[in-house]
Amino acid sequence: MTASLAEAFSPHQDLARSLIPHASAGDDGSHDLAHIARVFKNAMRIHQHEGGDGRVLAAAVLLHDCVAVEKNSPLRNQASRLAAEKAAGILGEMGWSDTEIDAVSHAILTHSFSANLEPQTIEAKILQDADRLDAIGIIGAARCFYIAGRMGSALYDPADPLAKHRPLDDRTFAIDHFETKLFTLADGFKTQAGRQAANERHQRLKSVLDLFLDEI
């Protein structure tokens, strides 16, 4: 599987063959190798317009979820730090320079919404944008519902789906997560290419919720 999947990471397929065995931990289907491949595709599209070091970016994408922390874990806001530390160790064993490792680690550390850290390099900005693109649009909606099922949440509150008379509660109701987080993401993109893609996916995400509400 590693050999065939690595081709999805062209032109960095050789690097992917080395890093895929470390790339995804746990059994979370919203942060699996398919997610990593989509983030890589997003990142390479942005990279074409924004520049940066492609090798550093590819390594950061491949390892950004190398430590698994569940969404409802009290350690969730530490997930990117733990992944950055693990990635540094992996790349160190592969002989990467300290400068390259620091660049990859910074990108991983700052990519996470939960960590609430500002990316300082172009590679870090691209990774954050590429990862957040996978949280909006049709894929973002699918991942939202997947995670809700994994966490044991209901799809919506049948008495008050839009939370007009109750506080939003995305731990209990899946569609509340659209308002508490997903609809806020498009405003925070760091690159021009990322923002353009985010605007389109944001509209798709709104359409998903509109269609969902129409059916209930």
Side-chain angles (χ1 to χ4, degrees):
M1 179 178 177
T2 298
S4 58
L5 182 58
E7 297 307 313
F9 295 88
S10 176
H12 301 283
Q13 59 266 44
D14 291 340
L15 177 62
R17 291 188 189 96
S18 299
L19 295 183
I20 284 173
H22 307 285
S24 180
D27 62 351
D28 181 355
S30 67
H31 292 89
D32 56 3
L33 289 173
H35 162 70
I36 293 169
R38 292 192 303 271
V39 174
F40 178 82
K41 186 176 181 180
N42 294 337
M44 290 298 108
R45 286 175 173 171
I46 298 172
H47 170 57
Q48 288 180 351
H49 297 280
E50 305 289 342
D53 187 319
R55 183 168 175 262
V56 165
L57 180 59
V61 170
L62 281 156
L63 296 176
H64 79 278
D65 281 336
C66 66
V67 172
V69 180
E70 290 285 1
K71 288 288 188 182
N72 59 356
S73 169
L75 294 177
R76 181 60 193 171
N77 63 354
Q78 298 297 314
S80 63
R81 178 183 61 81
L82 296 171
E85 291 173 354
K86 182 177 179 180
I90 292 168
L91 296 176
E93 291 178 359
M94 292 174 59
W96 283 48
S97 71
D98 290 344
T99 300
E100 291 173 316
I101 292 172
D102 287 346
V104 172
S105 297
H106 172 72
I108 294 173
L109 178 65
T110 59
H111 89 275
S112 170
F113 183 88
S114 302
N116 194 28
L117 296 170
E118 192 70 19
Q120 300 299 320
T121 65
I122 187 58
E123 295 84 10
K125 292 174 182 178
I126 292 173
L127 174 59
Q128 187 181 98
D129 282 4
D131 188 57
R132 292 186 183 185
L133 280 174
D134 207 51
I136 55 179
I138 305 300
I139 288 289
R143 292 176 73 210
C144 175
F145 291 126
Y146 169 88
I147 294 169
R150 187 178 177 87
M151 298 294 104
S153 304
L155 289 177
Y156 61 96
D157 179 354
D160 189 4
L162 290 176
K164 293 181 179 179
H165 306 290
R166 62 174 176 82
L168 289 164
D169 180 7
D170 61 356
R171 289 180 177 267
T172 304
F173 305 114
I175 67 169
D176 284 21
H177 195 59
F178 283 65
E179 290 292 343
T180 60
K181 178 181 178 181
L182 302 185
F183 285 156
T184 71
L185 293 179
D187 290 335
F189 276 66
K190 300 299 189 295
T191 68
Q192 182 177 355
R195 284 191 294 272
Q196 290 174 345
N199 289 336
E200 180 178 345
R201 294 199 187 194
H202 180 76
Q203 295 305 315
R204 293 179 187 176
L205 189 64
K206 290 179 66 176
S207 296
V208 169
L209 183 59
D210 289 343
L211 292 169
F212 182 98
L213 293 170
D214 184 63
E215 294 188 5
I216 64 174

